[in-house]
Amino acid sequence: MTTELSRARAIVDAAHRIVVLSGAGLSAESGVPVFRGAQGLWKTHRPEDLATPEAFRRDPRLVWEWYAWRRQVVFACAPNEGHRAIARRAAQGRFAVVTQNVDGLHARARAELAAQEVVGYPLLELHGALQRDRCSGCGARSEAVAVDGTSTATLPRCVRCGSLLRPDVVWFGESLDLSVLDTSFRLASEADVCLVVGTSAVVHPAASIPLATRQAGGVIVEVNPEPTPLSRHAAVSIAGRAADVLPRLLD
Ligand code: BJW
Ligand code: ZN
C-alpha cells in the first residue's frame, strides 16, 4: 500500500461521517466519457452548442441528437468497482453520496446492494439524470422516452402542456435544484471527511462543496490521477484510478 493510501485509510477509518463528491472520472472505467482533457467530450463538442438553455432554444434537434447518443452510451455501461466500493461502505451508515454525474451508476450500484436488503443512504444528483426527461415549459419530470430526432416536429412533447421535453440535466447557466444543493452543503459541513473522486473541480457550485467540510473543521481526501484546484486543500491526494483505489480505501 502506498504512503498516501495508508494515510487516507487511517483518516477514513477514524471518520464518523463521510460524504463523497464524485465526478465523471469515477465512471471513466465503466466506459462513460469524461468531459475535459485529451479524451473528453468538450475536446470535440462545444458545450455552448449542446449544454446550455440557449443551445436548446436555438436547435433542439441537434441537442437531442447528442443526448440520444449519450444515453445510448451510458445505458450500455455498468457500475465499476469504484461505485460498488462506495455503495458497500455507504450501506454501513453515516455516509452520503453527492454526485455531479448524470449516468445513474451510483443508483445502480446502490440497487445491486438493495437486492441484499442492506440499508439505504442519501444519494444526491446535483446535475440531474439522463434517465429522466423534463418539460421545457411546465417543468414536469418523466421517465426518458425514445427520441425520434428526424426533425423538430418529431421531438418528444409534454403530455400536459405540449412544450418540448428535454433531458433532465443541469446545463451551464442554469440553477441547480436548491434543495439538493442545500442538502449537499449541509451534509458536507456535517462530515469529518469529504472524499472527492474523479472530478476536475472546475464547475461550480459543485466544486465548492468539499470546502464546506474543511471550513467546518473536516478534511478532504482526493482520488484522481491528475491534480485539481482542490488538491491544495486536501489532507491527502491519491494519484490513482477510482476503480483501483476505492476498494482498497473503503473496504
Ligand atoms: C479520473 C479517472 C479515473 C479520469 N479515476 N479520476 C464560479 C466561478 C466560475 C464560474 C462559475 C462559478 N459559479 C458558477 C459558474 C458558472 C458555471 C461554471 O462552473 N463554469 C466553469 C466551468 C467556468 N456553472 C454553472 O453554470 C452552473 N450553474 C450555476 O452556477 O447557476 C447559478 C446558481 C447556482 C446555484 C443556485 C442558484 C443559481 C451549472 C453547471 C452545470 C454543469 N453541467 C454539466 C453538464 C451536465 C449535463 C450533461 O452531462 O450533459 O455537468 S458540464 C459537465 O461538467 C457536467 C459535469 O457534471 C461537470 C463536472 O465535470 P467533472 O465531473 O468534473 O468531469 P471532468 O471531465 O471535468 O473531469 C474528470 C476528472 O476525472 C479529471 O480530473 C480526470 O483527471 C479524472 N479522472 N479518469 C479517477 N479512472
Ligand atoms: Zn409541460
PDB file of all heavy atoms in Angstrom, residues 92-125:
ATOM      1  N   GLN A  92     -23.165   0.895   5.230  1.00  0.00           N
ATOM      2  CA  GLN A  92     -22.871   0.683   6.666  1.00  0.00           C
ATOM      3  C   GLN A  92     -23.344   1.864   7.510  1.00  0.00           C
ATOM      4  O   GLN A  92     -23.331   1.804   8.731  1.00  0.00           O
ATOM      5  CB  GLN A  92     -21.371   0.468   6.873  1.00  0.00           C
ATOM      6  CG  GLN A  92     -20.894  -0.861   6.292  1.00  0.00           C
ATOM      7  CD  GLN A  92     -19.371  -0.970   6.303  1.00  0.00           C
ATOM      8  OE1 GLN A  92     -18.691  -0.230   7.012  1.00  0.00           O
ATOM      9  NE2 GLN A  92     -18.840  -1.877   5.511  1.00  0.00           N
ATOM     10  N   GLY A  93     -23.730   2.988   6.847  1.00  0.00           N
ATOM     11  CA  GLY A  93     -24.298   4.131   7.567  1.00  0.00           C
ATOM     12  C   GLY A  93     -23.339   5.301   7.694  1.00  0.00           C
ATOM     13  O   GLY A  93     -22.153   5.181   7.408  1.00  0.00           O
ATOM     14  N   ARG A  94     -23.901   6.455   8.123  1.00  0.00           N
ATOM     15  CA  ARG A  94     -23.164   7.720   8.307  1.00  0.00           C
ATOM     16  C   ARG A  94     -22.319   8.060   7.074  1.00  0.00           C
ATOM     17  O   ARG A  94     -21.130   8.393   7.176  1.00  0.00           O
ATOM     18  CB  ARG A  94     -22.320   7.674   9.584  1.00  0.00           C
ATOM     19  CG  ARG A  94     -23.181   7.691  10.840  1.00  0.00           C
ATOM     20  CD  ARG A  94     -22.353   7.487  12.059  1.00  0.00           C
ATOM     21  NE  ARG A  94     -21.589   6.263  11.889  1.00  0.00           N
ATOM     22  CZ  ARG A  94     -20.603   5.867  12.665  1.00  0.00           C
ATOM     23  NH1 ARG A  94     -20.244   6.575  13.663  1.00  0.00           N
ATOM     24  NH2 ARG A  94     -19.964   4.739  12.451  1.00  0.00           N
ATOM     25  N   PHE A  95     -22.940   7.948   5.925  1.00  0.00           N
ATOM     26  CA  PHE A  95     -22.239   8.134   4.661  1.00  0.00           C
ATOM     27  C   PHE A  95     -23.253   8.698   3.663  1.00  0.00           C
ATOM     28  O   PHE A  95     -24.400   8.253   3.627  1.00  0.00           O
ATOM     29  CB  PHE A  95     -21.751   6.759   4.183  1.00  0.00           C
ATOM     30  CG  PHE A  95     -20.641   6.780   3.175  1.00  0.00           C
ATOM     31  CD1 PHE A  95     -19.357   6.345   3.520  1.00  0.00           C
ATOM     32  CD2 PHE A  95     -20.864   7.197   1.871  1.00  0.00           C
ATOM     33  CE1 PHE A  95     -18.329   6.330   2.580  1.00  0.00           C
ATOM     34  CE2 PHE A  95     -19.840   7.191   0.928  1.00  0.00           C
ATOM     35  CZ  PHE A  95     -18.566   6.751   1.291  1.00  0.00           C
ATOM     36  N   ALA A  96     -22.849   9.680   2.888  1.00  0.00           N
ATOM     37  CA  ALA A  96     -23.736  10.226   1.853  1.00  0.00           C
ATOM     38  C   ALA A  96     -22.943  10.390   0.561  1.00  0.00           C
ATOM     39  O   ALA A  96     -21.727  10.600   0.590  1.00  0.00           O
ATOM     40  CB  ALA A  96     -24.286  11.573   2.299  1.00  0.00           C
ATOM     41  N   VAL A  97     -23.646  10.283  -0.549  1.00  0.00           N
ATOM     42  CA  VAL A  97     -23.007  10.423  -1.853  1.00  0.00           C
ATOM     43  C   VAL A  97     -23.636  11.611  -2.581  1.00  0.00           C
ATOM     44  O   VAL A  97     -24.849  11.672  -2.749  1.00  0.00           O
ATOM     45  CB  VAL A  97     -23.183   9.143  -2.699  1.00  0.00           C
ATOM     46  CG1 VAL A  97     -22.543   9.318  -4.066  1.00  0.00           C
ATOM     47  CG2 VAL A  97     -22.585   7.934  -1.982  1.00  0.00           C
ATOM     48  N   VAL A  98     -22.775  12.541  -2.979  1.00  0.00           N
ATOM     49  CA  VAL A  98     -23.199  13.684  -3.789  1.00  0.00           C
ATOM     50  C   VAL A  98     -22.463  13.535  -5.119  1.00  0.00           C
ATOM     51  O   VAL A  98     -21.234  13.408  -5.130  1.00  0.00           O
ATOM     52  CB  VAL A  98     -22.799  15.016  -3.106  1.00  0.00           C
ATOM     53  CG1 VAL A  98     -23.175  16.199  -3.984  1.00  0.00           C
ATOM     54  CG2 VAL A  98     -23.444  15.130  -1.722  1.00  0.00           C
ATOM     55  N   THR A  99     -23.208  13.515  -6.206  1.00  0.00           N
ATOM     56  CA  THR A  99     -22.534  13.296  -7.489  1.00  0.00           C
ATOM     57  C   THR A  99     -22.906  14.370  -8.494  1.00  0.00           C
ATOM     58  O   THR A  99     -24.020  14.885  -8.496  1.00  0.00           O
ATOM     59  CB  THR A  99     -22.856  11.896  -8.066  1.00  0.00           C
ATOM     60  OG1 THR A  99     -22.017  11.683  -9.223  1.00  0.00           O
ATOM     61  CG2 THR A  99     -24.316  11.737  -8.479  1.00  0.00           C
ATOM     62  N   GLN A 100     -21.915  14.690  -9.341  1.00  0.00           N
ATOM     63  CA  GLN A 100     -22.178  15.572 -10.486  1.00  0.00           C
ATOM     64  C   GLN A 100     -22.598  14.723 -11.686  1.00  0.00           C
ATOM     65  O   GLN A 100     -22.987  15.262 -12.713  1.00  0.00           O
ATOM     66  CB  GLN A 100     -20.906  16.339 -10.849  1.00  0.00           C
ATOM     67  CG  GLN A 100     -20.408  17.256  -9.751  1.00  0.00           C
ATOM     68  CD  GLN A 100     -18.997  17.744 -10.043  1.00  0.00           C
ATOM     69  OE1 GLN A 100     -18.793  18.712 -10.772  1.00  0.00           O
ATOM     70  NE2 GLN A 100     -18.011  17.071  -9.499  1.00  0.00           N
ATOM     71  N   ASN A 101     -22.464  13.405 -11.569  1.00  0.00           N
ATOM     72  CA  ASN A 101     -22.692  12.547 -12.727  1.00  0.00           C
ATOM     73  C   ASN A 101     -24.175  12.379 -13.015  1.00  0.00           C
ATOM     74  O   ASN A 101     -25.001  12.303 -12.109  1.00  0.00           O
ATOM     75  CB  ASN A 101     -22.043  11.177 -12.494  1.00  0.00           C
ATOM     76  CG  ASN A 101     -20.530  11.290 -12.358  1.00  0.00           C
ATOM     77  OD1 ASN A 101     -19.965  12.326 -12.709  1.00  0.00           O
ATOM     78  ND2 ASN A 101     -19.881  10.254 -11.856  1.00  0.00           N
ATOM     79  N   VAL A 102     -24.483  12.294 -14.308  1.00  0.00           N
ATOM     80  CA  VAL A 102     -25.882  12.140 -14.736  1.00  0.00           C
ATOM     81  C   VAL A 102     -26.123  10.719 -15.260  1.00  0.00           C
ATOM     82  O   VAL A 102     -27.146  10.447 -15.874  1.00  0.00           O
ATOM     83  CB  VAL A 102     -26.242  13.182 -15.832  1.00  0.00           C
ATOM     84  CG1 VAL A 102     -26.139  14.599 -15.288  1.00  0.00           C
ATOM     85  CG2 VAL A 102     -25.350  13.031 -17.073  1.00  0.00           C
ATOM     86  N   ASP A 103     -25.145   9.815 -15.005  1.00  0.00           N
ATOM     87  CA  ASP A 103     -25.201   8.483 -15.623  1.00  0.00           C
ATOM     88  C   ASP A 103     -25.987   7.452 -14.825  1.00  0.00           C
ATOM     89  O   ASP A 103     -26.228   6.337 -15.308  1.00  0.00           O
ATOM     90  CB  ASP A 103     -23.769   7.965 -15.893  1.00  0.00           C
ATOM     91  CG  ASP A 103     -22.882   7.950 -14.640  1.00  0.00           C
ATOM     92  OD1 ASP A 103     -23.411   7.758 -13.528  1.00  0.00           O
ATOM     93  OD2 ASP A 103     -21.654   8.130 -14.799  1.00  0.00           O
ATOM     94  N   GLY A 104     -26.380   7.780 -13.605  1.00  0.00           N
ATOM     95  CA  GLY A 104     -27.199   6.846 -12.809  1.00  0.00           C
ATOM     96  C   GLY A 104     -26.429   5.655 -12.250  1.00  0.00           C
ATOM     97  O   GLY A 104     -27.035   4.742 -11.682  1.00  0.00           O
ATOM     98  N   LEU A 105     -25.093   5.661 -12.352  1.00  0.00           N
ATOM     99  CA  LEU A 105     -24.348   4.454 -11.951  1.00  0.00           C
ATOM    100  C   LEU A 105     -24.237   4.298 -10.435  1.00  0.00           C
ATOM    101  O   LEU A 105     -24.186   3.177  -9.934  1.00  0.00           O
ATOM    102  CB  LEU A 105     -22.976   4.413 -12.628  1.00  0.00           C
ATOM    103  CG  LEU A 105     -23.026   4.254 -14.158  1.00  0.00           C
ATOM    104  CD1 LEU A 105     -21.616   4.206 -14.744  1.00  0.00           C
ATOM    105  CD2 LEU A 105     -23.803   3.006 -14.577  1.00  0.00           C
ATOM    106  N   HIS A 106     -24.243   5.422  -9.679  1.00  0.00           N
ATOM    107  CA  HIS A 106     -24.298   5.289  -8.215  1.00  0.00           C
ATOM    108  C   HIS A 106     -25.612   4.616  -7.806  1.00  0.00           C
ATOM    109  O   HIS A 106     -25.635   3.757  -6.928  1.00  0.00           O
ATOM    110  CB  HIS A 106     -24.256   6.661  -7.538  1.00  0.00           C
ATOM    111  CG  HIS A 106     -22.890   7.243  -7.388  1.00  0.00           C
ATOM    112  ND1 HIS A 106     -21.918   6.664  -6.596  1.00  0.00           N
ATOM    113  CD2 HIS A 106     -22.343   8.370  -7.899  1.00  0.00           C
ATOM    114  CE1 HIS A 106     -20.820   7.430  -6.635  1.00  0.00           C
ATOM    115  NE2 HIS A 106     -21.050   8.456  -7.417  1.00  0.00           N
ATOM    116  N   ALA A 107     -26.696   5.050  -8.433  1.00  0.00           N
ATOM    117  CA  ALA A 107     -28.014   4.492  -8.081  1.00  0.00           C
ATOM    118  C   ALA A 107     -28.074   3.011  -8.436  1.00  0.00           C
ATOM    119  O   ALA A 107     -28.639   2.200  -7.687  1.00  0.00           O
ATOM    120  CB  ALA A 107     -29.118   5.262  -8.800  1.00  0.00           C
ATOM    121  N   ARG A 108     -27.448   2.658  -9.554  1.00  0.00           N
ATOM    122  CA  ARG A 108     -27.462   1.229  -9.934  1.00  0.00           C
ATOM    123  C   ARG A 108     -26.619   0.397  -8.979  1.00  0.00           C
ATOM    124  O   ARG A 108     -26.985  -0.732  -8.627  1.00  0.00           O
ATOM    125  CB  ARG A 108     -27.008   1.077 -11.382  1.00  0.00           C
ATOM    126  CG  ARG A 108     -28.142   1.477 -12.343  1.00  0.00           C
ATOM    127  CD  ARG A 108     -27.708   1.464 -13.780  1.00  0.00           C
ATOM    128  NE  ARG A 108     -27.207   0.180 -14.225  1.00  0.00           N
ATOM    129  CZ  ARG A 108     -26.602  -0.007 -15.392  1.00  0.00           C
ATOM    130  NH1 ARG A 108     -26.422   1.012 -16.216  1.00  0.00           N
ATOM    131  NH2 ARG A 108     -26.179  -1.196 -15.734  1.00  0.00           N
ATOM    132  N   ALA A 109     -25.481   0.956  -8.514  1.00  0.00           N
ATOM    133  CA  ALA A 109     -24.649   0.223  -7.543  1.00  0.00           C
ATOM    134  C   ALA A 109     -25.410   0.069  -6.223  1.00  0.00           C
ATOM    135  O   ALA A 109     -25.346  -0.985  -5.578  1.00  0.00           O
ATOM    136  CB  ALA A 109     -23.328   0.962  -7.326  1.00  0.00           C
ATOM    137  N   ARG A 110     -26.166   1.107  -5.826  1.00  0.00           N
ATOM    138  CA  ARG A 110     -26.968   1.017  -4.594  1.00  0.00           C
ATOM    139  C   ARG A 110     -28.086  -0.016  -4.768  1.00  0.00           C
ATOM    140  O   ARG A 110     -28.371  -0.781  -3.855  1.00  0.00           O
ATOM    141  CB  ARG A 110     -27.553   2.389  -4.252  1.00  0.00           C
ATOM    142  CG  ARG A 110     -28.289   2.416  -2.931  1.00  0.00           C
ATOM    143  CD  ARG A 110     -28.722   3.812  -2.531  1.00  0.00           C
ATOM    144  NE  ARG A 110     -29.682   4.385  -3.473  1.00  0.00           N
ATOM    145  CZ  ARG A 110     -30.277   5.559  -3.300  1.00  0.00           C
ATOM    146  NH1 ARG A 110     -29.995   6.295  -2.234  1.00  0.00           N
ATOM    147  NH2 ARG A 110     -31.131   6.026  -4.194  1.00  0.00           N
ATOM    148  N   ALA A 111     -28.671  -0.043  -5.960  1.00  0.00           N
ATOM    149  CA  ALA A 111     -29.752  -1.002  -6.218  1.00  0.00           C
ATOM    150  C   ALA A 111     -29.232  -2.446  -6.190  1.00  0.00           C
ATOM    151  O   ALA A 111     -29.922  -3.352  -5.724  1.00  0.00           O
ATOM    152  CB  ALA A 111     -30.410  -0.700  -7.566  1.00  0.00           C
ATOM    153  N   GLU A 112     -28.000  -2.652  -6.664  1.00  0.00           N
ATOM    154  CA  GLU A 112     -27.405  -4.000  -6.602  1.00  0.00           C
ATOM    155  C   GLU A 112     -27.355  -4.475  -5.149  1.00  0.00           C
ATOM    156  O   GLU A 112     -27.624  -5.629  -4.839  1.00  0.00           O
ATOM    157  CB  GLU A 112     -25.975  -3.989  -7.168  1.00  0.00           C
ATOM    158  CG  GLU A 112     -25.889  -3.899  -8.683  1.00  0.00           C
ATOM    159  CD  GLU A 112     -24.442  -3.745  -9.199  1.00  0.00           C
ATOM    160  OE1 GLU A 112     -23.484  -3.811  -8.394  1.00  0.00           O
ATOM    161  OE2 GLU A 112     -24.278  -3.560 -10.401  1.00  0.00           O
ATOM    162  N   LEU A 113     -26.991  -3.529  -4.239  1.00  0.00           N
ATOM    163  CA  LEU A 113     -26.907  -3.880  -2.819  1.00  0.00           C
ATOM    164  C   LEU A 113     -28.285  -4.037  -2.200  1.00  0.00           C
ATOM    165  O   LEU A 113     -28.479  -4.869  -1.314  1.00  0.00           O
ATOM    166  CB  LEU A 113     -26.188  -2.773  -2.045  1.00  0.00           C
ATOM    167  CG  LEU A 113     -24.688  -2.734  -2.081  1.00  0.00           C
ATOM    168  CD1 LEU A 113     -24.216  -1.678  -1.106  1.00  0.00           C
ATOM    169  CD2 LEU A 113     -24.083  -4.075  -1.721  1.00  0.00           C
ATOM    170  N   ALA A 114     -29.226  -3.216  -2.660  1.00  0.00           N
ATOM    171  CA  ALA A 114     -30.580  -3.251  -2.084  1.00  0.00           C
ATOM    172  C   ALA A 114     -31.174  -4.643  -2.237  1.00  0.00           C
ATOM    173  O   ALA A 114     -31.954  -5.091  -1.391  1.00  0.00           O
ATOM    174  CB  ALA A 114     -31.459  -2.209  -2.752  1.00  0.00           C
ATOM    175  N   ALA A 115     -30.764  -5.331  -3.300  1.00  0.00           N
ATOM    176  CA  ALA A 115     -31.239  -6.696  -3.503  1.00  0.00           C
ATOM    177  C   ALA A 115     -30.806  -7.587  -2.335  1.00  0.00           C
ATOM    178  O   ALA A 115     -31.427  -8.598  -2.041  1.00  0.00           O
ATOM    179  CB  ALA A 115     -30.703  -7.229  -4.819  1.00  0.00           C
ATOM    180  N   GLN A 116     -29.707  -7.180  -1.650  1.00  0.00           N
ATOM    181  CA  GLN A 116     -29.239  -7.953  -0.475  1.00  0.00           C
ATOM    182  C   GLN A 116     -29.799  -7.384   0.825  1.00  0.00           C
ATOM    183  O   GLN A 116     -29.290  -7.667   1.908  1.00  0.00           O
ATOM    184  CB  GLN A 116     -27.707  -7.928  -0.417  1.00  0.00           C
ATOM    185  CG  GLN A 116     -27.058  -8.564  -1.643  1.00  0.00           C
ATOM    186  CD  GLN A 116     -25.595  -8.137  -1.775  1.00  0.00           C
ATOM    187  OE1 GLN A 116     -24.914  -7.913  -0.794  1.00  0.00           O
ATOM    188  NE2 GLN A 116     -25.119  -8.023  -3.008  1.00  0.00           N
ATOM    189  N   GLU A 117     -30.802  -6.486   0.697  1.00  0.00           N
ATOM    190  CA  GLU A 117     -31.515  -5.921   1.850  1.00  0.00           C
ATOM    191  C   GLU A 117     -30.611  -5.219   2.851  1.00  0.00           C
ATOM    192  O   GLU A 117     -30.673  -5.456   4.044  1.00  0.00           O
ATOM    193  CB  GLU A 117     -32.343  -7.007   2.550  1.00  0.00           C
ATOM    194  CG  GLU A 117     -33.473  -7.488   1.665  1.00  0.00           C
ATOM    195  CD  GLU A 117     -34.330  -8.539   2.331  1.00  0.00           C
ATOM    196  OE1 GLU A 117     -34.228  -8.709   3.555  1.00  0.00           O
ATOM    197  OE2 GLU A 117     -35.089  -9.180   1.594  1.00  0.00           O
ATOM    198  N   VAL A 118     -29.723  -4.349   2.346  1.00  0.00           N
ATOM    199  CA  VAL A 118     -28.931  -3.531   3.264  1.00  0.00           C
ATOM    200  C   VAL A 118     -29.567  -2.135   3.318  1.00  0.00           C
ATOM    201  O   VAL A 118     -30.450  -1.817   2.542  1.00  0.00           O
ATOM    202  CB  VAL A 118     -27.453  -3.432   2.824  1.00  0.00           C
ATOM    203  CG1 VAL A 118     -26.764  -4.760   2.931  1.00  0.00           C
ATOM    204  CG2 VAL A 118     -27.361  -2.846   1.443  1.00  0.00           C
ATOM    205  N   VAL A 119     -29.067  -1.314   4.275  1.00  0.00           N
ATOM    206  CA  VAL A 119     -29.730  -0.012   4.464  1.00  0.00           C
ATOM    207  C   VAL A 119     -29.492   0.941   3.294  1.00  0.00           C
ATOM    208  O   VAL A 119     -28.472   0.850   2.613  1.00  0.00           O
ATOM    209  CB  VAL A 119     -29.253   0.691   5.763  1.00  0.00           C
ATOM    210  CG1 VAL A 119     -29.639  -0.106   6.984  1.00  0.00           C
ATOM    211  CG2 VAL A 119     -27.755   0.964   5.730  1.00  0.00           C
ATOM    212  N   GLY A 120     -30.450   1.862   3.082  1.00  0.00           N
ATOM    213  CA  GLY A 120     -30.287   2.893   2.065  1.00  0.00           C
ATOM    214  C   GLY A 120     -29.412   4.018   2.607  1.00  0.00           C
ATOM    215  O   GLY A 120     -29.028   4.011   3.772  1.00  0.00           O
ATOM    216  N   TYR A 121     -29.058   4.964   1.758  1.00  0.00           N
ATOM    217  CA  TYR A 121     -28.253   6.118   2.185  1.00  0.00           C
ATOM    218  C   TYR A 121     -28.547   7.257   1.223  1.00  0.00           C
ATOM    219  O   TYR A 121     -29.010   7.029   0.108  1.00  0.00           O
ATOM    220  CB  TYR A 121     -26.761   5.758   2.208  1.00  0.00           C
ATOM    221  CG  TYR A 121     -26.246   5.159   0.916  1.00  0.00           C
ATOM    222  CD1 TYR A 121     -25.806   5.965  -0.130  1.00  0.00           C
ATOM    223  CD2 TYR A 121     -26.234   3.774   0.732  1.00  0.00           C
ATOM    224  CE1 TYR A 121     -25.362   5.407  -1.317  1.00  0.00           C
ATOM    225  CE2 TYR A 121     -25.788   3.214  -0.454  1.00  0.00           C
ATOM    226  CZ  TYR A 121     -25.347   4.038  -1.471  1.00  0.00           C
ATOM    227  OH  TYR A 121     -24.915   3.492  -2.642  1.00  0.00           O
ATOM    228  N   PRO A 122     -28.266   8.514   1.657  1.00  0.00           N
ATOM    229  CA  PRO A 122     -28.555   9.647   0.783  1.00  0.00           C
ATOM    230  C   PRO A 122     -27.692   9.636  -0.480  1.00  0.00           C
ATOM    231  O   PRO A 122     -26.484   9.403  -0.398  1.00  0.00           O
ATOM    232  CB  PRO A 122     -28.220  10.872   1.639  1.00  0.00           C
ATOM    233  CG  PRO A 122     -28.134  10.381   3.040  1.00  0.00           C
ATOM    234  CD  PRO A 122     -27.771   8.935   2.972  1.00  0.00           C
ATOM    235  N   LEU A 123     -28.348   9.860  -1.614  1.00  0.00           N
ATOM    236  CA  LEU A 123     -27.659   9.971  -2.901  1.00  0.00           C
ATOM    237  C   LEU A 123     -28.229  11.189  -3.616  1.00  0.00           C
ATOM    238  O   LEU A 123     -29.419  11.220  -3.947  1.00  0.00           O
ATOM    239  CB  LEU A 123     -27.879   8.693  -3.732  1.00  0.00           C
ATOM    240  CG  LEU A 123     -27.475   8.733  -5.209  1.00  0.00           C
ATOM    241  CD1 LEU A 123     -26.020   9.174  -5.387  1.00  0.00           C
ATOM    242  CD2 LEU A 123     -27.678   7.363  -5.858  1.00  0.00           C
ATOM    243  N   LEU A 124     -27.398  12.203  -3.793  1.00  0.00           N
ATOM    244  CA  LEU A 124     -27.859  13.469  -4.365  1.00  0.00           C
ATOM    245  C   LEU A 124     -27.230  13.673  -5.730  1.00  0.00           C
ATOM    246  O   LEU A 124     -25.989  13.680  -5.846  1.00  0.00           O
ATOM    247  CB  LEU A 124     -27.489  14.609  -3.410  1.00  0.00           C
ATOM    248  CG  LEU A 124     -28.237  14.442  -2.086  1.00  0.00           C
ATOM    249  CD1 LEU A 124     -27.357  14.737  -0.896  1.00  0.00           C
ATOM    250  CD2 LEU A 124     -29.461  15.316  -2.076  1.00  0.00           C
ATOM    251  N   GLU A 125     -28.074  13.836  -6.739  1.00  0.00           N
ATOM    252  CA  GLU A 125     -27.588  14.013  -8.116  1.00  0.00           C
ATOM    253  C   GLU A 125     -27.686  15.498  -8.468  1.00  0.00           C
ATOM    254  O   GLU A 125     -28.754  15.988  -8.839  1.00  0.00           O
ATOM    255  CB  GLU A 125     -28.405  13.136  -9.064  1.00  0.00           C
ATOM    256  CG  GLU A 125     -28.189  11.651  -8.794  1.00  0.00           C
ATOM    257  CD  GLU A 125     -29.036  10.711  -9.651  1.00  0.00           C
ATOM    258  OE1 GLU A 125     -30.241  10.997  -9.855  1.00  0.00           O
ATOM    259  OE2 GLU A 125     -28.499   9.679 -10.099  1.00  0.00           O
TER     260      GLU A 125
END
